Amino acid sequence: QVQLVESGGGLVQAGGSLRLSCAASGRTFSTYAMGWFRQAPGKERDFVAAISSSGIRRIYSDSVKGRFTISRDNAKNTVYLQMNTLKPEETAVYYCAAAASASRESRSYDYWGQGTQVTVSS
């Protein structure tokens, strides 16, 4: 069992930056791949980024590649999402999730956090 708690969301102007954190409970964090997803009102939950358990493999959606960076610190049981050059259309609730292997598919993830709101103003 893994419990995930996101933080770091907030209000930022277009072009600004935010860093999201996701803290995990349990001693098995380092065995899980981690992913970030986002969901805007009235829309489906979309894949943003994922990282393998070791941190070596990273996957990004095309829309965030080059602007967002996913990383993890297994000693701190935490995964991060650095978001730069944010756009208003990226306003959404951002979720972190844990899976057996890094994937773009939300159905691959077994554990989810409660989400953190990111609002990008124009």
Side-chain angles (χ1 to χ4, degrees), residues 10 14 36 63 92-93 109 114:
W36 285 97
S63 64
V93 177
Y109 291 79
Q114 83 290 347

Side-chain angles (χ1 to χ4, degrees), residues 6 34-35 49 52 54 60 72 83 89 93 108 110 112 121:
E6 302 96 334
M34 299 298 295
S52 63
S54 66
Y60 296 96
R72 67 189 297 159
M83 305 185 295
E89 56 265 36
V93 177
S108 298
D110 300 311
W112 292 82
S121 64

Side-chain angles (χ1 to χ4, degrees), residues 90-102:
E90 295 180 308
T91 293
V93 177
Y94 284 69
Y95 298 90
C96 70
S101 62

